[in-house]
Amino acid sequence: MLLAIETSCDETAVCLFDEQSIERGDMRTALRYDVVSSQVALHQPYGGVVPELAAREHVRNLPVLVNEALQSVGITTADISAIGVTRGPGLKGSLLVGLCFAKSFALASNIPLIPVHHIEGHIFAGNLSDTPPIYPFLALVVSGGHTMLVLCESYRRYRLVASTRDDAAGEAFDKTATLLGLPYPGGPQLSRAAERGNASAFSFPIGVAGDSKSFSFSGLKTAVQRQVQQLGASMQEPQVRDDLAASVQSAIVQALVRKVSDACRVHSPRALLLTGGVAANALLRQSLADEAAKLGIPFAVPAARWCTDNAAMIAVLAYHQLQENREAFESWTPHAGFLGPGVSTDLGAVAKWPLPCI
Ligand code: KG4
Ligand code: ZN
């Protein structure tokens, strides 16, 4: 049984993954416990994640969740073969809580530790979709901190096709939602308001034309700000706000879809994967599914709960890392200075950690 821990931002997530019960290669059948404890209510009054509060909440939640995980599955620490934990990127304090907990747990129980990359975890969440993508595939990773188009050439071999020059797609959702006076968390709130709005009511800039390597959302933010100022008191009318939300959402989604579509034509991938928190957005899911169908490329997207931050994706990635080094893990015995094969006890959290690309 693999224990996976994710605390890179404001969600405390814990997963127990039983590799012996994987059925027909479907990773979802191995999930014995998979819980995300949200801190939305804690950060709501501040209009965004307060890093210090997030870290403190992880300190409180994590031991409780791990204990609950073991109890509900009916196992003890002796049944855990490895611990997968997010090492970065993310909020330093939040990462430190998860990492320190995992290191202590590993050290106290002589269990090997597998530190993993959060963004790579989002890519491995593709294994939790109905139709896991086949290499080489193109992955659109859209979260609160990242917007990347990655060509996944083969197992853990990545080529960066495009990334954002300024704001991430999730940030664009969150910041424009704030401009519209919508409560935190902006992305889901804006997409809910957009359901009632008319997407053609306002016209907003759609990314950067002609530059296939960059996404850009700062121009959109400025345009929304100007529009809100112009609208003045009419911003109080719910329909105006909903129309704005729908128009903003449409501009963000179109910018993403266009770039993905161009990249599909250039790289001819065998599949397209949509992943990361923004992949929970219904319009983006539908628009990319339609585009992939038009291009004749199989489309994969995990269920919304595995698009936003979760520990199941960390478990799946740790499981693959374990498989990759099976012999090293099986012959590994705890010794001074090490927490697992190649993992030194001085392992630190990495707040800024680009996805290792070739
Ligand atoms: O991957 P994630 O859970 O955390 C990070 O690693 O950043 O992504 C969070 C981001 C936030 O910006 C949030 O607003 C956005 O994903 N998000 C959405 C939706 N659900 C979450 N954006 C648009 N529509 C949604 N339904
Ligand atoms: Zn994330």
Side-chain angles (χ1 to χ4, degrees):
M1 193 81 76
L2 234 141
L3 169 68
I5 293 168
E6 153 66 41
T7 63
S8 67
C9 191
D10 60 335
E11 319 277 17
T12 320
V14 169
C15 173
L16 280 173
F17 181 97
D18 180 5
E19 57 171 296
Q20 271 157 10
S21 65
I22 301 173
E23 287 172 31
R24 304 170 309 280
D26 185 342
M27 298 290 143
R28 295 172 299 190
T29 58
L31 302 175
R32 285 288 155 274
Y33 183 90
D34 177 24
V35 162
V36 177
S37 169
S38 167
Q39 299 182 7
V40 164
L42 177 73
H43 300 285
Q44 198 145 39
Y46 306 95
V49 176
V50 184
E52 174 72 19
L53 292 185
R56 289 187 209 174
E57 196 67 3
H58 287 312
V59 170
R60 252 192 299 268
N61 286 342
L62 190 52
V64 178
L65 280 186
V66 170
N67 210 12
E68 202 177 277
L70 298 182
Q71 276 182 9
S72 76
V73 175
I75 59 165
T76 67
T77 50
D79 300 303
I80 298 175
S81 50
I83 303 170
V85 63
T86 304
R87 185 186 179 201
L91 299 174
K92 189 81 172 201
S94 290
L95 289 165
L96 278 172
V97 177
L99 189 64
C100 287
F101 181 92
K103 283 170 74 170
S104 316
F105 200 124
L107 204 58
S109 313
N110 293 328
I111 301 169
L113 189 75
I114 308 174
V116 309
H117 193 287
H118 179 79
I119 300 298
E120 194 176 14
H122 276 302
I123 293 174
F124 271 74
N127 287 295
L128 299 167
S129 66
D130 287 339
T131 48
I134 296 165
Y135 294 108
F137 64 87
L138 198 62
L140 175 66
V141 188
V142 271
S143 70
H146 300 266
T147 297
M148 289 190 293
L149 199 47
V150 183
L151 185 64
C152 307
E153 292 191 339
S154 54
Y155 174 71
R156 304 192 72 202
R157 194 178 147 89
Y158 308 111
R159 197 177 289 277
L160 188 63
V161 171
S163 60
T164 183
R165 279 186 193 172
D166 37 59
D167 291 345
E171 243 179 317
F173 268 103
D174 297 338
K175 288 181 179 171
T176 50
T178 305
L179 291 172
L180 266 57
L182 295 167
Y184 167 86
Q189 291 283 346
L190 191 137
S191 70
R192 216 162 296 140
E195 281 169 24
R196 303 179 295 260
N198 171 9
S200 333
F202 298 93
S203 172
F204 289 120
I206 296 167
V208 265
D211 180 350
S212 60
K213 290 199 163 21
S214 310
F215 294 97
S216 172
F217 295 102
S218 64
L220 171 69
K221 194 177 54 189
T222 313
V224 174
Q225 193 166 24
R226 232 178 271 135
Q227 187 66 67
V228 168
Q229 275 163 2
Q230 259 172 33
L231 285 163
S234 358
M235 278 302 293
Q236 302 310 317
E237 293 169 32
Q239 192 56 52
V240 171
R241 237 197 290 187
D242 293 347
D243 287 349
L244 264 176
S247 305
V248 168
Q249 175 177 256
S250 166
I252 297 174
V253 169
Q254 280 188 62
L256 294 169
V257 173
R258 278 185 192 177
K259 212 61 82 184
V260 171
S261 179
D262 291 348
C264 282
R265 286 175 223 273
V266 173
H267 298 282
S268 307
R270 288 183 69 192
L272 173 64
L273 168 68
L274 169 62
T275 186
V278 183
N281 183 273
L283 180 69
L284 179 60
R285 295 167 83 90
Q286 191 55 54
S287 305
L288 273 187
D290 292 348
E291 192 62 24
K294 219 159 56 185
L295 295 167
I297 300 171
F299 178 61
V301 61
R305 57 193 280 244
W306 292 316
C307 287
T308 45
D309 289 347
N310 65 88
M313 68 184 195
I314 303 304
V316 173
L317 173 53
Y319 164 70
H320 280 86
Q321 293 187 208
L322 186 75
Q323 286 282 79
E324 194 184 341
N325 291 306
R326 181 64 71 180
E327 262 179 47
F329 276 99
E330 275 173 5
S331 60
W332 187 75
T333 45
H335 55 282
F338 285 88
L339 292 168
V343 182
S344 139
T345 36
D346 66 4
L347 183 83
V350 189
K352 288 198 189 317
W353 185 8
L355 180 72
C357 292
I358 50 169

